[in-house]
Amino acid sequence: MKHGVDGTAHTEGTPSAGTAVSGLTVEHRTDPLGVDAAPPRFGWRMASTERGRHQTAYRIKVATSPPHLTHGTADVWDSGRVEASDSVAVRYSGPELRASTRYHWTVTVWDEHGHAVTAGPAHFETGLLSTDGVTGWDGAQWIGMAGKRPNTAGAPLLRRQAELTGGRVREARLYVSALGVYDAYVNGRRVPVPQGDGTTYELLTPGWTNYDTTVNYFTYDVTDLVADQATDPSQVTLAAVLGNGWYNGRISENSVYWSADGGNALALKAKLLVRYADGSTQSIVTTPGDDWRATDTGPYRTDDIYDGQLYDARKELPGWAANGFDVSEWSAVEAQDPFPDAQLVAYPGESARLMPEWDRKPQSVTVYTGVTGVVGATGAAGHGGSANGKGQILVDPSRTVTDPTQASTASVTLHPGDTAVIDLGQNLVGVPRYTLRGPAGAQVAFKPGEMLNDDSAGADGPAGSVYRANLRTAEATSTYILKGDPAGETHQDSLTFYGFRYVSVTTTETVTLVELTGRVATSALHDIGTVTTDDADVNQLIGNVRWGQRGNYLWIPTDCPQRDERLGWTGDTQLFAGTGLYNSATVPFLSHFQDTLIDSQHNYGAEKAQFPWVAPGHRYSQALPASGWADCGVVVPWTVWQMSGDTTIIDRSWPAMTKYLDWIRQRTGDTYAGQGAIFGDWLAFQITSTQLISDIYYGYSARLMADMARATGRTAEVATYERLFTHIKRAFITKYFATDVLTGQLTVRSSLGDPPPHTPGNSAGKTEDDTQTALLWILKLGFYDTDLQHRQLVTLLTDNIGNSPAYKANHPDSTRVDYPENTLAVGFLGVNVIAPVLTDEGRVDLAYRLLHQNAMPSWLYSVANGATTVWERWNSYAKDDGFGPVDMNSFNHYAYGAIMEWMYESMAGIAKDPEHPGFKHFFLRPHLDPTGRITKVRGSHVSPYGEIVSEWTAREGKLTYRAVVPANSTATLRIPTADPSTVREDNRPLAEASGVEFLGFTDGTASYQLPSGSYELTSTLA
């Protein structure tokens, strides 16, 4: 017998055969350190070989040690048996937790037969459980190098050696943060983090926040580094390198925390907590005084997010971070406290880090010694000419390797005047790691880029060289000065990052490049979803979307990783969030960004109410109306809740969201118009008025607010936002619908109003009626009154997309006349709704035609032109025409990759049910490809309840379908068939299977309610 917290006895029950519980999480993480959430949230997944298995009750136990869980009463909390199927975000409700304490926990679940299974123990560890920067820090202060002026040469190196006052070290924790970024060291070794079966290093901790409002700290288990010493075991040395990061550079210009005049002084705050076997503890903290010393004479000479890093190996200080190093010539440190009111908060997710399994080796190495064919040149180099007058590289074939297998391990010797161009085969984000041999003082410059120059007018150098014009003012260069080690010198930058596929290498003296690797850094650490098909081009697009997410999910969801921008643009974030959550375990990542966005709303939003264009910081942002971007503050909480089933983000965001909606209402009153949309449908070729875009998003946010109010029991607010949505809809129809009195033809007056101030997708800057984006959103939101209007709207949309010769003839002034049939005309705010709306309206055939199109504008246009990530523009590059406009041309910009959400939901057929968030119940609704090009699709997604699988093959009039519905969840299957009697499992009608309920047959689709389990089905299609 077991006793719950209520004192009643509960039988654990007999074990459940074939059933397991796994995936134990706290705060959506596995065995996390530094948890500051109050209360923490538990989660787990049930798995079973039995069909229809579901949880009927659970019991959570929390204790200070595993024996308390297995040999007695849990000494912290016992939930008792709770009769519920909940297994997502189950909140702790025990006594107050202690700071810096490891807790162990188990969960027992009972199935529908009363059988029990117990999982664990797992563990979590609390952080300092404070936000004031004082409580729990044991006197640690922000410190920096005394007398160090910002933006002077040399990154600060800080260190302290201290005596360990106890005996045997039982455990040690490091709590650390920086104003700037840090690399932390203990006893001469850089602090690693667990990753997979090994460890790796973080990049640019503690990430980017509004430093005047919030700074994050991290917790590390450094027991092994403190206890396992080759030197004096009675001493420990804590050290760090500080870099400028986002805190001190033009990436933060216009931000409250950034000083444009003198720059920002870098600072470190840290506490090393050591616990000894005898129960005593010791804290070693950052404080001014002789114990801490600093220097800027080390090898890190310059660093900048945009411009790169210069590392001078001649200035290395061997042993500087270990015990016994002489610091008599080092400087003192001084206290820094520029933002005393800022909160110091435990980072609620996993850090950005280097991912060894995704590293890339060279696919080719090309060495060139000069340029040939330059217009105006004399001698041999002037022969041949080139289309743009910039010539072509003069390749040295003896040092050029084009075979990928050989190139991956090739070394090459370079002389002054030579250039090596290395192709990694994949546009990625991170840093190059390289090994060099050469004389001391030789300077080697690594210049990353995304593309190679061609001979088009937009090229910035000779054909075959690395194109870097799209970086704009970003220098983005990794420079290394050799110390002359004959054994070779290996380096990778740690205080900056780059977006690149290619690397150009030059040297001031003869140097051998022994090895180069593209090291991938990301915050999207765990892939949890995938879609694959039998169409190579579509698979390439899917891969491009995933690589774009990896590159742009780096601490914050950025717009691009390479140029002088790299900002948290909110429009990009909100429209890609669904795809991002299908692909990767990024609930904590997006939840943290939402917190940052709320900070930015107060710091930078119009009247401290509108969510801003970018977060954190204020570069390029203004307090101007920006619907579609500002609505990120509403869309992201809704999307995270829908995908995770966790309402925490809604409750945390509610005051900020209501402030935003109230602000719009105060501005526009009973007109029920949106506040304005400066960017409109960004980069669309067919331009919709900014006011229509704003009105649409006002309605969209109101509808999402009603959904979220209902989910969190805010009954009065449900009625408020439903009423607001109705008023917006009525005002919209009155304003934008025009019906010809003679023909009855409906026109959507999407030209009514101004175009965006910047219309880079359409040089004419002309708004049009009946635009794709306007029609899509009207259909998505149901902004119509009658069935006739509905049918006309669908016809207007499909005719526009189809873009037949007849359509062009009837619309001679439309931008559509310039583009082929079955092409896109949407920009950022239409791209994530076009395929879903077409599918919902019964035109999945047209959605597939758009997917397969490779003429411009289309998703496969970039694939046909060699893309390995998604581009910012539909026409960023063409093999025939060259580069798009350089002022706004990123080759790693994930917004258009939002199509992948439709691939999960409609192509593979794994679709969330808005009425049951988090996939407690979901839809299996595969849509076959009417064009016949795709005949096989496999999709999977690890939901909060387990892995969902939906896999189909359609050939010769027969459908073979496989599905997995995780335990403790259910699904509605909608399967194509000519006759429901042909939908069979093991040659028996599916409707006769145990637990399966036949729901009906309509328009070639049979519907079934499925209990959990695995299904292997066949169906006759014709």
Side-chain angles (χ1 to χ4, degrees):
M1 303 290 285
K2 302 291 184 180
H3 291 80
V5 292
D6 58 359
T8 59
H10 297 295
T11 299
E12 292 288 330
T14 57
S16 178
T19 299
V21 174
S22 62
L24 275 63
T25 61
V26 175
E27 291 297 296
H28 298 279
R29 293 186 284 155
T30 302
D31 296 337
L33 295 179
V35 173
D36 269 6
R41 296 162 286 173
F42 296 94
W44 59 88
R45 296 195 295 267
M46 194 179 192
S48 179
T49 57
E50 300 296 320
R51 185 168 289 182
R53 184 58 34 90
H54 61 275
Q55 174 187 305
T56 59
Y58 68 84
R59 182 181 189 180
I60 299 171
K61 296 180 182 180
V62 180
T64 55
S65 69
H68 281 99
L69 296 171
T70 56
H71 303 295
T73 302
D75 61 344
V76 177
W77 179 55
D78 186 337
S79 71
R81 177 169 171 149
V82 179
E83 304 293 330
S85 66
D86 300 340
S87 62
V88 175
V90 177
R91 287 171 170 77
Y92 171 85
S93 60
E96 184 176 349
L97 298 173
R98 299 194 304 270
S100 302
T101 302
R102 174 163 291 195
Y103 293 95
H104 305 265
W105 68 287
T106 60
V107 61
T108 300
V109 303
W110 285 265
D111 66 16
E112 68 278 12
H113 301 299
H115 298 155
V117 60
T118 298
H123 66 261
F124 67 98
E125 192 168 301
T126 52
L128 300 177
L129 299 182
S130 66
T131 62
D132 60 8
V134 177
T135 305
W137 282 95
D138 295 345
Q141 299 179 46
W142 290 108
I143 61 170
M145 180 178 171
K148 171 73 171 174
R149 290 183 294 108
N151 302 319
T152 55
L157 311 182
L158 285 73
R159 59 163 276 143
R160 179 190 174 187
Q161 182 172 329
E163 181 182 357
L164 293 172
T165 59
R168 183 173 62 85
V169 173
R170 178 166 58 87
E171 62 182 18
R173 298 292 182 267
L174 176 62
Y175 306 91
V176 61
S177 184
L179 298 175
V181 295
Y182 66 81
D183 295 340
Y185 292 79
V186 173
N187 286 334
R189 294 165 59 188
R190 187 173 171 191
V191 176
V193 289
Q195 182 61 43
D197 295 329
T199 62
T200 188
Y201 293 120
E202 298 167 315
L203 186 68
L204 301 171
T205 41
W208 188 10
T209 56
N210 293 310
Y211 301 96
D212 53 307
T213 304
T214 305
V215 183
N216 291 133
Y217 74 87
F218 279 82
T219 304
Y220 303 93
D221 182 346
V222 292
T223 304
D224 290 345
L225 300 184
V226 173
D228 183 16
Q229 300 182 45
T231 57
D232 186 351
S234 69
Q235 303 286 314
V236 64
T237 295
L238 176 60
V241 181
L242 296 182
N244 292 306
W246 298 270
Y247 180 62
N248 183 43
R250 67 184 188 277
I251 193 169
S252 289
E253 66 184 5
N254 298 325
S255 302
V256 174
Y257 62 81
W258 185 63
S259 173
D261 296 330
N264 292 346
L266 307 183
L268 176 74
K269 188 165 189 170
K271 167 186 167 180
L272 177 63
L273 174 64
V274 182
R275 289 193 173 101
Y276 297 100
D278 63 4
S280 63
T281 64
Q282 178 185 4
S283 290
I284 300 165
V285 300
T286 49
T287 56
D290 292 340
D291 288 341
W292 280 92
R293 306 291 286 176
T295 187
D296 62 0
T297 62
Y300 305 87
R301 304 315 304 155
T302 64
D303 64 272
D304 184 82
I305 291 292
Y306 289 157
D307 295 333
Q309 185 172 323
L310 189 157
Y311 186 92
D312 188 344
R314 298 171 302 177
K315 294 181 174 292
E316 289 179 343
L317 304 170
W320 75 272
N323 291 336
F325 186 80
D326 182 7
V327 294
S328 59
E329 301 298 320
W330 284 33
S331 300
V333 300
E334 60 187 6
Q336 305 274 359
D337 196 9
F339 311 114
D341 296 328
Q343 292 190 320
L344 189 54
V345 179
Y347 189 80
E350 293 179 294
S351 54
R353 56 191 62 171
L354 298 167
M355 300 291 287
E357 61 265 43
W358 296 332
D359 286 352
R360 305 291 295 196
K361 301 295 290 185
Q363 301 297 291
S364 69
V365 179
T366 302
V367 178
Y368 67 92
T369 57
V371 179
T372 184
V374 178
V375 171
T378 59
H383 294 172
S386 66
N388 62 9
K390 296 177 180 176
Q392 298 180 338
I393 61 173
L394 189 60
V395 175
D396 180 353
S398 68
R399 290 181 288 167
T400 293
V401 183
T402 57
D403 177 75
T405 301
Q406 297 178 22
S408 66
T409 59
S411 63
V412 59
T413 298
L414 300 176
H415 311 290
D418 292 343
T419 301
V421 174
I422 298 171
D423 178 8
L424 295 168
Q426 173 63 55
N427 198 359
L428 58 90
V429 173
V431 293
R433 179 183 66 201
Y434 41 82
T435 299
L436 303 167
R437 284 200 304 267
Q443 182 167 307
V444 184
F446 295 81
K447 292 182 176 290
E450 297 181 291
M451 299 286 285
L452 295 182
N453 279 303
D454 55 14
D455 62 0
S456 68
D460 71 345
S465 63
V466 175
Y467 170 80
R468 283 166 51 93
N470 70 318
L471 305 185
R472 303 189 303 208
T473 66
E475 294 294 333
T477 302
S478 176
T479 304
Y480 185 87
I481 301 176
L482 280 79
K483 61 186 175 184
D485 187 340
E489 306 171 34
T490 300
H491 175 74
Q492 64 189 35
D493 290 348
S494 63
L495 304 179
T496 190
F497 70 94
Y498 310 93
F500 62 106
R501 170 178 172 172
Y502 302 93
V503 182
S504 172
V505 187
T506 57
T507 179
T508 59
E509 299 184 49
T510 299
V511 169
T512 298
L513 174 62
V514 179
E515 175 268 348
L516 186 140
T517 302
R519 305 227 54 201
V520 175
T522 185
S523 294
L525 305 176
H526 308 289
D527 290 344
I528 60 171
T530 187
V531 178
T532 56
T533 78
D534 57 352
D535 185 297
D537 289 340
V538 172
N539 288 345
Q540 181 67 51
L541 173 62
I542 292 168
N544 293 0
V545 175
R546 188 178 300 281
W547 276 100
Q549 178 179 359
R550 287 173 181 165
N552 283 293
Y553 273 28
L554 187 75
W555 290 112
I556 63 167
T558 62
D559 62 323
C560 59
Q562 73 297 93
R563 67 187 182 211
D564 56 354
E565 200 160 344
R566 314 186 197 194
L567 304 175
W569 282 95
T570 49
D572 308 49
T573 301
Q574 63 89 3
L575 67 95
F576 188 81
T579 293
L581 288 161
Y582 266 112
N583 277 340
S584 184
T586 49
V587 168
F589 174 82
L590 287 174
S591 298
H592 179 258
F593 181 73
Q594 176 70 11
D595 293 341
T596 301
L597 183 56
I598 292 170
D599 277 353
S600 292
Q601 177 193 39
H602 181 268
N603 289 0
Y604 306 112
E607 300 180 53
K608 300 184 182 299
Q610 181 182 233
F611 295 107
W613 308 348
V614 300
H618 202 46
R619 180 172 169 86
Y620 295 142
S621 193
Q622 300 177 51
L624 296 174
S627 290
W629 273 250
D631 297 278
C632 178
V634 176
V635 176
V636 164
W638 183 89
T639 307
V640 169
W641 160 59
Q642 282 286 309
M643 292 294 291
S644 70
D646 186 351
T647 59
T648 303
I649 191 172
I650 299 175
D651 292 329
R652 200 162 62 227
S653 304
W654 193 259
M657 295 191 297
T658 54
K659 182 187 294 185
Y660 171 56
L661 270 293
D662 289 348
W663 173 75
I664 301 174
R665 182 80 170 87
Q666 291 163 7
R667 285 174 61 90
T668 63
D670 291 342
T671 66
Y672 296 102
Q675 83 271 27
I678 189 169
F679 300 116
D681 187 22
W682 182 244
L683 295 182
F685 292 143
Q686 188 179 39
I687 296 179
T688 306
S689 83
T690 56
Q691 190 57 54
L692 183 145
I693 291 291
S694 184
D695 296 351
I696 281 287
Y697 261 92
Y698 189 18
Y700 184 44
S701 283
R703 191 171 80 175
L704 300 187
M705 290 292 285
D707 288 349
M708 290 186 283
R710 187 176 296 107
T712 54
R714 293 175 165 91
T715 306
E717 288 91 336
V718 173
T720 297
Y721 288 112
E722 286 182 340
R723 222 171 16 251
L724 177 59
F725 178 83
T726 300
H727 286 309
I728 295 168
K729 173 181 175 179
R730 176 54 40 215
F732 184 94
I733 292 171
T734 302
K735 182 176 183 179
Y736 293 107
F737 279 23
T739 303
D740 188 289
V741 294
L742 296 178
T743 65
Q745 178 60 48
L746 174 66
T747 296
V748 173
R749 299 193 297 169
S750 49
S751 65
L752 188 63
D754 298 323
H758 306 287
T759 54
N762 178 344
S763 59
K766 180 182 66 174
T767 57
E768 298 182 31
D769 287 334
D770 298 329
T771 61
Q772 281 185 21
T773 295
L775 293 164
L776 287 164
W777 274 102
I778 290 167
L779 289 166
K780 177 179 174 65
L781 296 181
F783 274 13
Y784 49 82
D785 287 325
T786 68
D787 289 341
L788 176 60
Q789 288 176 337
H790 183 197
R791 291 194 300 272
Q792 287 187 320
L793 289 164
V794 173
T795 299
L796 287 169
L797 175 63
T798 55
D799 285 352
N800 181 315
I801 294 170
N803 204 27
S804 65
Y807 180 86
K808 293 179 182 180
N810 290 331
H811 300 82
D813 297 327
S814 172
T815 53
R816 297 295 288 136
V817 300
D818 298 325
Y819 300 105
E821 298 178 22
N822 299 322
T823 50
L824 301 159
V826 296
F828 278 31
L829 298 187
V831 73
N832 63 325
V833 296
I834 187 166
V837 167
L838 287 171
T839 302
D840 290 345
E841 297 298 342
R843 292 304 309 270
V844 71
D845 61 318
L846 196 48
Y848 269 105
R849 288 193 181 96
L850 286 172
L851 177 64
H852 291 306
Q853 175 66 268
N854 65 3
M856 210 276 292
S858 68
W859 286 285
L860 293 187
Y861 182 77
S862 63
V863 171
N865 284 278
T868 61
T869 42
V870 176
W871 295 344
E872 179 175 20
R873 295 173 175 270
W874 296 117
N875 60 339
S876 282
Y877 178 79
K879 293 175 181 176
D880 295 333
D881 302 323
F883 296 95
V886 71
D887 63 328
M888 199 71 62
N889 200 20
S890 160
F891 293 96
N892 192 350
H893 222 91
Y894 59 52
Y896 291 148
I899 180 61
M900 199 168 169
E901 184 174 7
W902 174 84
M903 293 181 182
Y904 278 106
E905 295 195 339
S906 295
M907 190 166 75
I910 301 170
K912 55 187 176 290
D913 178 357
E915 299 299 318
H916 301 277
F919 298 88
K920 180 66 171 174
H921 175 269
F922 58 93
F923 295 104
L924 293 167
R925 55 178 199 191
H927 289 79
L928 310 188
D929 183 358
T931 73
R933 283 188 53 177
I934 292 177
T935 63
K936 186 174 183 179
V937 172
R938 186 187 190 277
S940 66
H941 171 70
V942 180
S943 79
Y945 297 93
E947 185 178 37
I948 302 168
V949 176
S950 180
E951 182 176 3
W952 57 263
T953 302
R955 289 179 185 145
E956 298 178 351
K958 182 178 180 179
L959 175 68
T960 302
Y961 182 68
R962 174 176 175 260
V964 176
V965 179
N968 205 29
S969 68
T970 59
T972 297
L973 170 65
R974 295 173 179 168
I975 186 169
T977 185
D979 183 340
S981 66
T982 70
V983 179
R984 291 180 170 262
E985 181 183 43
D986 294 331
N987 207 31
R988 295 177 54 204
L990 178 60
E992 296 177 7
S994 176
V996 173
E997 180 184 356
F998 177 61
L999 301 177
F1001 176 67
T1002 305
D1003 297 330
T1005 300
S1007 296
Y1008 303 84
Q1009 189 74 7
L1010 302 182
S1012 65
S1014 298
Y1015 297 84
E1016 301 274 354
L1017 309 177
T1018 57
S1019 168
T1020 299
L1021 297 174

